[in-house]
Amino acid sequence: MMWAIGDLARFDREREAISSLPTAVDWLTAVRWYLSDAGSICVDADLQIGSVVRKVTLKYPEMFPYAPPSVVPRESEGRWSSHQYGSSGELCLAYRPDNWVSTVTGADMLVSAYELLATESGVDTDDARPNIVPSAHRTTLGQWLRGETWRLLLTSTTQDTLRMLDSIKLGTARFRLIEKTAVGWLTSLGADETPIVESHFPVELRSMWPEIRATMVPLADAGPILDGDTRKDARAIRAALLGESAPSDEQKDEILVLVTPSEIRAIYLWLEVGHNTAWEVAVVSISGTQSRQDREAAGLAEQRIAVVGCGSLGSKVASMLARAGVRNFVLIDDDVFLPENLVRHELNWESVGVHKVDALAHHLKLLGATDVTVRRQQLGGQESGGSLDGVMSLLSQSSLIVEASANDVAFTYVSKIAERTEKPVIWGKIFGGGFGGEIARVRPGIEPTAEVARYRISRWCDAHDVPPPSSVANRYESGETDAPMIAYDADVSAIAAQVARMVIDTAVGRTPSAFESSAYMIGLRKEWIFVAAFDTWPVDLGGPLGVTEQVPLSEDKARAVALDLLQIVGNPHDRS
């Protein structure tokens, strides 16, 4: 429904305010109301700005009075004001979306338009000289860049380096295309191309697109380089800036980074055969070192986290940990990422057909991980004994193990490895149907082994007279023909987040821990034991088991066994 029909009283006030305005001021004439072809209520008005008449249209939006009207030129006459969107677009007035209140009228908008144009033209000043109207805008980075297709990222460190240049320097840059936006960064500076400028950018990112030549040009003043007839003449721009003849047609493309005392600008030159085009590239300043993490997260970089099972749960936990600051990972999984995994996995179509560990490793490195070891194996699956031993050795060298395989055999192996090497284990399960999940952890000397903990969780269920719910099994991830247990990506993410939180809590050694219990049943909706969404049941795992008492060897027997062992170690190939 048109706003005026729905609020006749407001429409009457609008008409009254605008119709009475010409009798109160001497600069408004020719007021005309009408309905545009698009169905908007509009008012044409002429504003007398000194000796110039500015013809404007006041357009009421569909959501008026909860959104402001706009004042635009009726005819394309070029730019009227520095406070204007585009060369002949809407005027930016005192009343805008960021400060709009519904009591402001269309008449107020016309008054604001006159005051802006009259002030800038100098009509209201004694010497009739133009005045600058201060801007009330605080434009965000996104607002500034939304019209910029080409963008060059420069850290403050790199900008400082460029400002120290006293002569033209060669380097390299890369640009990658995302939808319709090309984003680039400098990869080297100097003729030998050895210094990597933006060294904190992931290596995987640097290899996605080929390098192009970058030329850094120190200037006293860049000036309006792309204005006038040379706007699209790339060869002329290059020759003017570098003082050399135009490049040959073998030159494909190049970016010129123009460094002045006040700013850094960039120009992309398209010099491929049949092309001679230049366009300005927006230079985007980034910190490169700013952290949004708690200071305790620095300790995560020293941890090596192993993830057994890189399906939906494991992939999400690993990604959350990488974002938290974990830099070293061990990934164990034999599965291949398939289209049916898309519904609730961290990966996307770019990884279809790739082993999950390989694709996830690439993904983690793009999130900041620096060392990711992968094994395309199923822990406890039909593998050679040697390969199993290698995987178990890798796990034993990790700081902490995340068990996310939903595989009982793998769980048992993880439990034994952790028990023997005294490593913490944290696991999670998504209950079939996605109504909730289970998270738990065992730490050496604090909780029992993972196997015992799992048994005690089962007994806890028995004590509550409810059978343990089925988990979303790994057969869903592998694409086998068994009917999959359904869970939304949001369900998996909710449980994965709690697993990741428990991993972080354990890895940084929080004292006291943020988790009062060592295991939890977490409900996402009313089902099983859960009486409502977010209903959570702590599970007491108890303390560690006592050390099994063993009969010690006699001194003579111990000496004999030691000698036998030394003989075996000293003669590894003696089979006699």
Side-chain angles (χ1 to χ4, degrees), residues 248-284:
S248 66
D249 285 340
E250 283 74 27
Q251 175 69 43
K252 289 186 176 181
D253 49 14
E254 180 179 9
I255 184 169
L256 302 181
V257 181
L258 314 179
V259 185
T260 73
S262 60
E263 64 177 344
I264 296 178
R265 296 172 62 182
I267 300 174
Y268 198 99
L269 307 179
W270 191 13
L271 302 168
E272 197 174 5
V273 175
H275 298 279
N276 182 28
T277 306
W279 56 85
E280 191 150 8
V281 178
V283 174
V284 183

Side-chain angles (χ1 to χ4, degrees), residues 443-520:
R443 295 162 292 180
I446 301 176
E447 289 92 8
T449 65
E451 274 193 301
V452 172
R454 184 171 61 172
Y455 170 75
R456 289 180 176 175
I457 290 174
S458 178
R459 292 294 301 272
W460 181 90
C461 291
D462 293 341
H464 289 77
D465 198 26
V466 288
S470 299
S471 64
V472 176
N474 63 337
R475 65 174 182 273
Y476 172 83
E477 304 300 339
S478 64
E480 295 178 11
T481 56
D482 292 347
M485 295 183 181
I486 304 300
Y488 286 110
D489 181 77
D491 304 328
V492 178
S493 297
I495 303 304
Q498 304 314 314
V499 174
R501 291 182 64 243
M502 190 170 269
V503 171
I504 294 169
D505 183 272
T506 307
V508 300
R510 282 182 185 150
T511 305
S513 170
F515 297 88
E516 293 82 3
S517 296
S518 299
Y520 294 88

Side-chain angles (χ1 to χ4, degrees), residues 22 43 99 175 244 347 395 404 455 501 533 558 572:
V43 180
N99 65 358
F175 278 84
E244 57 187 67
L347 301 175
L395 294 176
Y455 170 75
R501 291 182 64 243

